[in-house]
Amino acid sequence: GAVVSQHPSRVICKSGTSVKIECRSLDFQATTMFWYRQFPKQSLMLMATSNEGSKATYEQGVEKDKFLINHASLTLSTLTVTSAHPEDSSFYICSASDGQGARNTIYFGEGSWLTVV
Amino acid sequence: AQSVTQLDSQVPVFEEAPVELRCNYSSSVSVYLFWYVQYPNQGLQLLLKYLSGSTLVKGINGFEAEFNKSQTSFHLRKPSVHISDTAEYFCAVTPYSSASKIIFGSGTRLSIRP
């Protein structure tokens, strides 16, 4: 079945550096992907909607200059955390749908653990 | 705007006992409803979803949920739980108009005691 893959699954970076997380739809095309953030023992918070070929739409309170999203193709969206700080340490998950509407299945990636030291 | 409330942050139950995880939602527009499960250190897996039709929805792993429009609830139930059901469970909604944009509840941690 359709799969959404994230890479890397775990990454540790130094404070002040940037880190990129990839989200790929492996056997379907996704014009829209979503990025979520999950703090330990908390729920998933939608960060932004990634639109293929156009700018991402960010949720209120999410810094677009800090969390850069690029959706360069129908199967790949990337999230770059720029100038990372320890408070950015979190679990980041992406999702993609194989069509329009909730009647199509929404697939989630396995998630990426980011630790900023 | 939509919001989802999961009233119980933790639910401990004994193995083979029944369980109900509560979920209420608020929305000014029509929504679809979901339950997702997250096993430790893993991503999300869809348990079940309500789109339309019968208000009783059956999902994977023996779970079911009932949509109650008047009470704006979508409680998850299982008649007999197993140790393997230990996980975090998220109730979620998505509006008809943006059906891939999911709003999650705060989650309920289900812990099964032998």
Side-chain angles (χ1 to χ4, degrees):
Chain A
V3 174
V4 172
S5 177
Q6 281 185 240
H7 178 80
S9 58
R10 292 181 179 273
V11 58
I12 301 173
C13 70
K14 292 184 178 180
S15 185
T17 63
S18 296
V19 61
K20 180 185 291 186
I21 301 170
E22 295 183 346
C23 177
R24 293 181 183 273
S25 57
L26 296 185
D27 57 2
F28 66 97
Q29 294 182 332
T31 55
T32 304
M33 292 183 176
F34 298 87
W35 286 96
Y36 295 83
R37 179 176 184 176
Q38 183 181 31
F39 290 103
K41 299 183 179 181
Q42 294 187 31
S43 188
L44 289 84
M45 301 300 296
L46 179 64
M47 298 175 65
T49 304
S50 174
N51 305 298
E52 188 270 335
S54 64
K55 292 182 179 180
T57 305
Y58 290 82
E59 295 299 302
Q60 190 174 4
V62 178
E63 299 176 60
K64 61 180 182 180
D65 295 329
K66 181 169 185 61
F67 298 99
L68 299 179
I69 292 173
N70 184 24
H71 196 150
S73 76
L74 287 171
T75 59
L76 174 64
S77 174
T78 60
L79 168 68
T80 301
V81 183
T82 62
S83 186
H85 292 284
E87 57 265 31
D88 298 325
S89 299
S90 188
F91 188 54
Y92 294 88
I93 302 180
C94 69
S95 73
S97 174
D98 59 2
Q100 296 296 322
R103 294 186 182 275
N104 296 96
T105 302
I106 301 169
Y107 299 94
F108 283 85
E110 313 96 323
S112 299
W113 288 100
L114 169 62
T115 302
V116 184
V117 298
Chain B
Q2 293 77 41
S3 67
V4 180
T5 302
Q6 291 183 243
L7 298 169
D8 306 300
S9 59
Q10 295 187 57
V11 174
V13 295
F14 287 104
E15 194 173 16
E16 298 184 4
V19 69
E20 179 179 80
L21 306 184
R22 296 180 292 170
C23 172
N24 288 88
Y25 69 95
S26 173
S27 177
S28 57
V29 299
S30 296
V31 295
Y32 301 114
L33 298 124
F34 305 83
W35 274 98
Y36 286 88
V37 59
Q38 184 179 33
Y39 296 103
N41 299 314
Q42 295 187 28
L44 293 176
Q45 181 179 2
L46 179 67
L47 273 180
L48 49 79
K49 61 183 176 183
Y50 173 78
L51 303 181
S52 64
S54 173
T55 57
L56 183 63
V57 181
K58 294 189 181 297
I60 62 172
N61 301 340
F63 285 93
E64 64 180 30
E66 185 154 22
F67 170 55
N68 188 318
K69 188 174 183 178
S70 62
Q71 296 184 6
T72 60
S73 67
F74 191 52
H75 300 331
L76 180 71
R77 297 191 290 260
K78 186 170 182 177
S80 177
V81 296
H82 301 284
I83 292 287
S84 59
D85 293 323
T86 298
E88 189 86 20
Y89 291 80
F90 293 97
C91 182
V93 301
T94 184
Y96 283 12
S97 60
S98 179
S100 295
K101 183 177 178 179
I102 301 175
I103 309 301
F104 288 90
S106 54
T108 297
R109 181 170 297 277
L110 178 62
S111 57
I112 311 300
R113 301 169 176 172

